[in-house]
Amino acid sequence: MKKFFSRVVLALLFALQFGVAEAKINMFPEPRYIPPLNFYGDSGKAYKLTDFKEDLLMAMVWSKSCGPCLEDMRYLNSFAKKTADKGIKVILISPEKEWRTIDERRNFLRKIGAPNLVSYLDKKATFRDGMGIMVTPTVILVNKAGEEAGQITGAVRWDDEEVIEYMVKLKDDLLQELQERKTANKKN
């Protein structure tokens, strides 16, 4: 519970300091089970959030008709490059119906300043609906154990150095929490 409150305080400071009044940070008191919902890569292969084993996975659910999503992309692209060696992976998930071809999606991402972000498709909005996502952009935060630790909705200046520090600290806190749970489970 102590960890939860420290994350909430960090989240509030994050929101206040960076003027992200439109962004909402929702950190869960306990990590949540993630339902086995599919999204799809360029080859048509199905993926689930639990397939990724990074220390922290940030899965941004977005739409090309969402202004704040487009605003976030170049910052998120920069964030992903700056944090790739810190155990943080960023992926994008967008509605399949928005794209005619893979090249159209890739060209669009290049045009808006996000050529390095890996993008997946949500067929028939089953992923978005199954995760209960009502607003875009929504970044789903997934810990190393494949559990949902929280969500961030709205625009964020992702490449700000203090935002990067916050996310690295959050990742470290989530890893420490997992280690403490493993230790407690061994004692029982």
Side-chain angles (χ1 to χ4, degrees):
M1 197 56 129
K2 182 179 175 185
K3 287 281 182 202
F4 170 68
F5 287 117
S6 71
R7 282 188 300 212
V8 169
V9 169
L10 278 173
L12 287 171
L13 291 173
F14 172 81
L16 293 172
Q17 184 159 357
F18 304 114
V20 268
E22 57 193 87
K24 292 187 172 114
I25 303 166
N26 183 14
M27 297 304 299
F28 307 137
E30 297 292 326
R32 300 193 312 192
Y33 166 79
I34 295 176
L37 300 164
N38 291 334
F39 49 91
Y40 299 85
D42 290 346
S43 68
K45 179 180 175 185
Y47 293 89
K48 295 173 180 56
L49 290 177
T50 54
D51 292 338
F52 298 86
K53 300 302 178 197
E54 279 68 28
D55 294 341
L56 177 63
L57 174 67
M58 297 173 54
M60 178 191 224
V61 179
W62 72 289
S63 169
K64 73 177 184 180
S65 63
C66 163
C69 298
L70 304 181
E71 188 180 311
D72 271 5
M73 287 300 178
R74 76 173 183 274
Y75 303 127
L76 197 57
N77 190 73
S78 177
F79 173 91
K81 287 196 288 187
K82 291 177 179 179
T83 59
D85 65 343
K86 295 176 178 17
I88 299 174
K89 182 173 182 71
V90 177
I91 64 171
L92 303 174
I93 303 171
S94 66
E96 179 186 46
K97 67 182 180 184
E98 291 187 332
W99 312 105
R100 288 184 297 247
T101 66
I102 294 167
D103 286 337
E104 178 189 13
R105 188 174 78 244
R106 286 183 184 157
N107 289 335
F108 186 82
L109 288 170
R110 192 174 306 112
K111 180 179 165 186
I112 62 171
N116 303 312
L117 295 176
V118 179
S119 181
Y120 297 89
L121 297 173
D122 182 6
K123 293 184 178 184
K124 299 179 182 165
T126 54
F127 178 82
R128 184 199 67 212
D129 293 346
M131 290 298 294
I133 294 171
M134 307 298 281
V135 175
T136 57
T138 294
V139 175
I140 302 166
L141 303 171
V142 181
N143 68 16
K144 191 170 182 77
E147 302 163 318
E148 185 179 14
Q151 294 183 1
I152 301 172
T153 57
V156 174
R157 181 72 190 261
W158 290 106
D159 68 338
D160 183 288
E161 288 303 317
E162 291 183 35
V163 172
I164 291 169
E165 286 176 29
Y166 168 80
M167 296 307 294
V168 170
K169 171 88 170 94
L170 176 63
K171 176 211 56 152
D172 293 342
D173 286 352
L174 292 171
L175 285 172
Q176 182 179 350
E177 183 180 286
L178 272 176
Q179 188 59 43
E180 289 169 1
R181 285 187 0 213
K182 283 181 184 178
T183 301
N185 287 340
K186 285 181 183 178
K187 290 180 181 177
N188 294 335

